[in-house]
PDB file of all heavy atoms in Angstrom:
ATOM      1  N   GLY B  37    -134.029 142.049 176.211  1.00 91.00           N
ATOM      2  CA  GLY B  37    -133.429 143.346 176.523  1.00 91.00           C
ATOM      3  C   GLY B  37    -134.216 144.531 176.003  1.00 91.00           C
ATOM      4  O   GLY B  37    -133.685 145.633 175.897  1.00 91.00           O
ATOM      5  N   LEU B  38    -135.477 144.318 175.654  1.00 94.00           N
ATOM      6  CA  LEU B  38    -136.286 145.429 175.180  1.00 94.00           C
ATOM      7  C   LEU B  38    -137.395 145.723 176.190  1.00 94.00           C
ATOM      8  O   LEU B  38    -137.965 144.804 176.769  1.00 94.00           O
ATOM      9  CB  LEU B  38    -136.931 145.088 173.829  1.00 94.00           C
ATOM     10  CG  LEU B  38    -135.967 144.905 172.654  1.00 94.00           C
ATOM     11  CD1 LEU B  38    -136.720 144.434 171.428  1.00 94.00           C
ATOM     12  CD2 LEU B  38    -135.234 146.199 172.364  1.00 94.00           C
ATOM     13  N   THR B  39    -137.671 147.006 176.403  1.00 95.00           N
ATOM     14  CA  THR B  39    -138.782 147.373 177.275  1.00 95.00           C
ATOM     15  C   THR B  39    -139.873 148.034 176.453  1.00 95.00           C
ATOM     16  O   THR B  39    -139.726 149.172 176.034  1.00 95.00           O
ATOM     17  CB  THR B  39    -138.318 148.380 178.349  1.00 95.00           C
ATOM     18  OG1 THR B  39    -137.158 147.865 178.984  1.00 95.00           O
ATOM     19  CG2 THR B  39    -139.414 148.620 179.366  1.00 95.00           C
ATOM     20  N   PRO B  40    -140.968 147.314 176.181  1.00 96.00           N
ATOM     21  CA  PRO B  40    -142.053 147.972 175.448  1.00 96.00           C
ATOM     22  C   PRO B  40    -142.859 148.828 176.422  1.00 96.00           C
ATOM     23  O   PRO B  40    -143.592 148.294 177.244  1.00 96.00           O
ATOM     24  CB  PRO B  40    -142.899 146.807 174.913  1.00 96.00           C
ATOM     25  CG  PRO B  40    -142.223 145.556 175.379  1.00 96.00           C
ATOM     26  CD  PRO B  40    -141.273 145.909 176.467  1.00 96.00           C
ATOM     27  N   ALA B  41    -142.699 150.146 176.337  1.00 96.00           N
ATOM     28  CA  ALA B  41    -143.370 151.031 177.294  1.00 96.00           C
ATOM     29  C   ALA B  41    -144.744 151.434 176.776  1.00 96.00           C
ATOM     30  O   ALA B  41    -145.682 151.588 177.548  1.00 96.00           O
ATOM     31  CB  ALA B  41    -142.516 152.266 177.562  1.00 96.00           C
ATOM     32  N   VAL B  42    -144.868 151.605 175.460  1.00 97.00           N
ATOM     33  CA  VAL B  42    -146.164 151.912 174.862  1.00 97.00           C
ATOM     34  C   VAL B  42    -146.362 150.959 173.686  1.00 97.00           C
ATOM     35  O   VAL B  42    -145.480 150.822 172.840  1.00 97.00           O
ATOM     36  CB  VAL B  42    -146.231 153.371 174.364  1.00 97.00           C
ATOM     37  CG1 VAL B  42    -147.534 153.611 173.621  1.00 97.00           C
ATOM     38  CG2 VAL B  42    -146.112 154.343 175.531  1.00 97.00           C
ATOM     39  N   ILE B  43    -147.521 150.292 173.677  1.00 96.00           N
ATOM     40  CA  ILE B  43    -147.775 149.295 172.636  1.00 96.00           C
ATOM     41  C   ILE B  43    -149.038 149.656 171.869  1.00 96.00           C
ATOM     42  O   ILE B  43    -150.133 149.637 172.432  1.00 96.00           O
ATOM     43  CB  ILE B  43    -147.912 147.892 173.256  1.00 96.00           C
ATOM     44  CG1 ILE B  43    -146.644 147.538 174.044  1.00 96.00           C
ATOM     45  CG2 ILE B  43    -148.184 146.857 172.176  1.00 96.00           C
ATOM     46  CD1 ILE B  43    -146.803 146.330 174.932  1.00 96.00           C
ATOM     47  N   ASP B  44    -148.870 150.024 170.625  1.00 95.00           N
ATOM     48  CA  ASP B  44    -149.990 150.218 169.717  1.00 95.00           C
ATOM     49  C   ASP B  44    -151.086 151.117 170.294  1.00 95.00           C
ATOM     50  O   ASP B  44    -152.247 150.726 170.369  1.00 95.00           O
ATOM     51  CB  ASP B  44    -150.590 148.846 169.363  1.00 95.00           C
ATOM     52  CG  ASP B  44    -151.387 148.919 168.061  1.00 95.00           C
ATOM     53  OD1 ASP B  44    -151.291 149.950 167.377  1.00 95.00           O
ATOM     54  OD2 ASP B  44    -152.106 147.953 167.759  1.00 95.00           O
ATOM     55  N   ALA B  45    -150.695 152.311 170.674  1.00 97.00           N
ATOM     56  CA  ALA B  45    -151.672 153.236 171.252  1.00 97.00           C
ATOM     57  C   ALA B  45    -152.348 154.040 170.152  1.00 97.00           C
ATOM     58  O   ALA B  45    -151.682 154.689 169.360  1.00 97.00           O
ATOM     59  CB  ALA B  45    -150.980 154.177 172.234  1.00 97.00           C
ATOM     60  N   THR B  46    -153.656 153.955 170.111  1.00 97.00           N
ATOM     61  CA  THR B  46    -154.427 154.721 169.143  1.00 97.00           C
ATOM     62  C   THR B  46    -155.548 155.449 169.874  1.00 97.00           C
ATOM     63  O   THR B  46    -156.321 154.826 170.589  1.00 97.00           O
ATOM     64  CB  THR B  46    -155.039 153.789 168.078  1.00 97.00           C
ATOM     65  OG1 THR B  46    -153.978 153.111 167.404  1.00 97.00           O
ATOM     66  CG2 THR B  46    -155.856 154.583 167.070  1.00 97.00           C
ATOM     67  N   PHE B  47    -155.568 156.748 169.711  1.00 97.00           N
ATOM     68  CA  PHE B  47    -156.674 157.516 170.299  1.00 97.00           C
ATOM     69  C   PHE B  47    -156.699 158.879 169.636  1.00 97.00           C
ATOM     70  O   PHE B  47    -155.743 159.267 168.962  1.00 97.00           O
ATOM     71  CB  PHE B  47    -156.510 157.673 171.814  1.00 97.00           C
ATOM     72  CG  PHE B  47    -155.267 158.416 172.222  1.00 97.00           C
ATOM     73  CD1 PHE B  47    -155.266 159.796 172.360  1.00 97.00           C
ATOM     74  CD2 PHE B  47    -154.080 157.738 172.459  1.00 97.00           C
ATOM     75  CE1 PHE B  47    -154.118 160.485 172.739  1.00 97.00           C
ATOM     76  CE2 PHE B  47    -152.927 158.403 172.830  1.00 97.00           C
ATOM     77  CZ  PHE B  47    -152.946 159.775 172.967  1.00 97.00           C
ATOM     78  N   SER B  48    -157.821 159.575 169.795  1.00 96.00           N
ATOM     79  CA  SER B  48    -157.828 160.951 169.306  1.00 96.00           C
ATOM     80  C   SER B  48    -158.545 161.811 170.331  1.00 96.00           C
ATOM     81  O   SER B  48    -159.418 161.348 171.055  1.00 96.00           O
ATOM     82  CB  SER B  48    -158.500 161.027 167.948  1.00 96.00           C
ATOM     83  OG  SER B  48    -159.883 160.880 168.111  1.00 96.00           O
ATOM     84  N   VAL B  49    -158.097 163.044 170.409  1.00 97.00           N
ATOM     85  CA  VAL B  49    -158.649 163.970 171.387  1.00 97.00           C
ATOM     86  C   VAL B  49    -159.299 165.109 170.627  1.00 97.00           C
ATOM     87  O   VAL B  49    -158.670 165.720 169.755  1.00 97.00           O
ATOM     88  CB  VAL B  49    -157.535 164.518 172.308  1.00 97.00           C
ATOM     89  CG1 VAL B  49    -158.137 165.396 173.386  1.00 97.00           C
ATOM     90  CG2 VAL B  49    -156.743 163.373 172.923  1.00 97.00           C
ATOM     91  N   ASP B  50    -160.563 165.370 170.954  1.00 96.00           N
ATOM     92  CA  ASP B  50    -161.274 166.437 170.255  1.00 96.00           C
ATOM     93  C   ASP B  50    -160.913 167.793 170.832  1.00 96.00           C
ATOM     94  O   ASP B  50    -160.530 167.890 171.992  1.00 96.00           O
ATOM     95  CB  ASP B  50    -162.788 166.221 170.383  1.00 96.00           C
ATOM     96  CG  ASP B  50    -163.233 164.991 169.627  1.00 96.00           C
ATOM     97  OD1 ASP B  50    -162.635 164.710 168.570  1.00 96.00           O
ATOM     98  OD2 ASP B  50    -164.156 164.300 170.106  1.00 96.00           O
ATOM     99  N   PRO B  51    -161.067 168.835 170.028  1.00 96.00           N
ATOM    100  CA  PRO B  51    -160.794 170.177 170.550  1.00 96.00           C
ATOM    101  C   PRO B  51    -161.689 170.458 171.758  1.00 96.00           C
ATOM    102  O   PRO B  51    -162.877 170.142 171.740  1.00 96.00           O
ATOM    103  CB  PRO B  51    -161.160 171.098 169.380  1.00 96.00           C
ATOM    104  CG  PRO B  51    -161.079 170.246 168.169  1.00 96.00           C
ATOM    105  CD  PRO B  51    -161.448 168.863 168.603  1.00 96.00           C
ATOM    106  N   GLY B  52    -161.110 171.025 172.809  1.00 94.00           N
ATOM    107  CA  GLY B  52    -161.890 171.377 173.982  1.00 94.00           C
ATOM    108  C   GLY B  52    -162.206 170.219 174.909  1.00 94.00           C
ATOM    109  O   GLY B  52    -162.978 170.362 175.841  1.00 94.00           O
ATOM    110  N   GLU B  53    -161.604 169.084 174.651  1.00 95.00           N
ATOM    111  CA  GLU B  53    -161.876 167.911 175.476  1.00 95.00           C
ATOM    112  C   GLU B  53    -160.791 167.731 176.536  1.00 95.00           C
ATOM    113  O   GLU B  53    -159.636 168.069 176.312  1.00 95.00           O
ATOM    114  CB  GLU B  53    -161.900 166.663 174.574  1.00 95.00           C
ATOM    115  CG  GLU B  53    -162.309 165.386 175.296  1.00 95.00           C
ATOM    116  CD  GLU B  53    -162.306 164.157 174.388  1.00 95.00           C
ATOM    117  OE1 GLU B  53    -161.514 164.121 173.424  1.00 95.00           O
ATOM    118  OE2 GLU B  53    -163.085 163.250 174.640  1.00 95.00           O
TER     119      GLU B  53
END
Side-chain angles (χ1 to χ4, degrees):
Chain B
L38 294 174
T39 309
V42 174
I43 302 167
D44 201 11
T46 300
F47 61 89
S48 74
V49 184
D50 292 326
E53 186 181 29

